[in-house]
Amino acid sequence: MNANPFVKPKVRTGWLVVASALAMLCLAFSTLAIPASPTLPNLWPILALSVLFAVAVGTIWFYRLQRANKWTARAVEQWRRLEATRLQVGTTTEVTILAIETVEPTGTWVTLRWNQFDHVQRAWMEALPDEIWEGTVLLISPDPSQIKLGNPWPTFYHLAAQKYLGFAPAAGRKDFEKLSERSPR
């Protein structure tokens, strides 16, 4: 099974922090022990193993940071496209896919949250051109025949494919907002 591409990859995990601390301790003790007793040849293999261990842990950190940075760059770009689409289209709203219940050839039953109203609702989503996962924010044009101000929410919402405007990972919104605050408009 593929990993959900809308979940930000973790850089720091417990075992990696512990391995980093162990690598630094091993490296520190072995480098301090060799000058203290240069006549003991048994310490050189320990130093070599400590260096190899530290390099391996450093490589894991490097690749995890690189993967997280690539994910963030893609997420920010998707949010930029979403914002550009929002400016071009009249009435829009965001919904977040909380759960994908049933996938069928013509569409999918999902649980979604209307972000503006913080309302959770079951919905039938027609088949969309993009692959959608849990944690996806969809930009849609709400259907005025289903959602009317002052009226109760319908039992379930029907999201027509032509009302779908774009998507971005919910986890990438904070990164996008940070970058948007820094860059001049």
Side-chain angles (χ1 to χ4, degrees):
M1 183 174 177
N2 293 336
N4 184 341
F6 291 91
V7 175
K8 190 171 187 173
K10 288 186 178 182
V11 175
R12 184 182 62 225
T13 58
W15 73 267
L16 189 56
V17 171
V18 169
S20 300
L22 283 173
M24 287 190 284
L25 284 173
C26 290
L27 203 56
F29 284 133
S30 61
T31 53
L32 292 174
I34 287 180
S37 55
T39 57
L40 292 175
N42 301 3
L43 295 177
W44 288 103
I46 294 172
L47 176 63
L49 286 174
S50 298
V51 168
L52 280 173
F53 183 51
V55 168
V57 170
T59 302
I60 292 169
W61 277 106
F62 174 78
Y63 283 114
R64 283 182 170 220
L65 284 168
Q66 189 177 37
R67 184 179 63 178
N69 287 338
K70 285 180 183 177
W71 184 93
T72 300
R74 279 193 311 269
V76 166
E77 182 56 36
Q78 287 174 315
W79 276 101
R80 283 190 178 128
R81 277 188 256 137
L82 214 62
E83 287 300 315
T85 303
R86 182 190 322 271
L87 294 173
Q88 291 174 355
V89 178
T91 305
T92 62
T93 192
E94 294 175 6
V95 294
T96 301
I97 304 299
L98 301 177
I100 296 176
E101 299 164 14
T102 309
V103 178
E104 297 177 14
T106 57
T108 306
W109 282 103
V110 298
T111 302
L112 56 83
R113 179 180 61 239
W114 294 82
N115 294 354
Q116 184 177 357
F117 306 106
D118 200 32
H119 176 72
V120 176
Q121 181 176 33
R122 193 161 186 241
W124 170 254
M125 188 170 64
E126 289 181 4
L128 302 177
D130 298 310
E131 185 177 19
I132 303 300
W133 293 68
E134 292 175 2
T136 305
V137 174
L138 304 179
L139 182 65
I140 64 168
S141 292
D143 184 358
S145 67
Q146 296 181 71
I147 305 292
K148 294 179 183 175
L149 292 175
N151 288 351
W153 290 89
T155 307
F156 73 91
Y157 184 77
H158 178 265
L159 176 58
Q162 65 265 23
K163 299 288 187 177
Y164 163 76
L165 304 170
F167 72 95
R173 172 177 244 136
K174 289 179 184 175
D175 296 317
F176 170 71
E177 289 170 352
K178 282 182 200 173
L179 290 173
S180 295
E181 289 173 1
R182 285 190 227 155
S183 63
R185 292 185 182 206

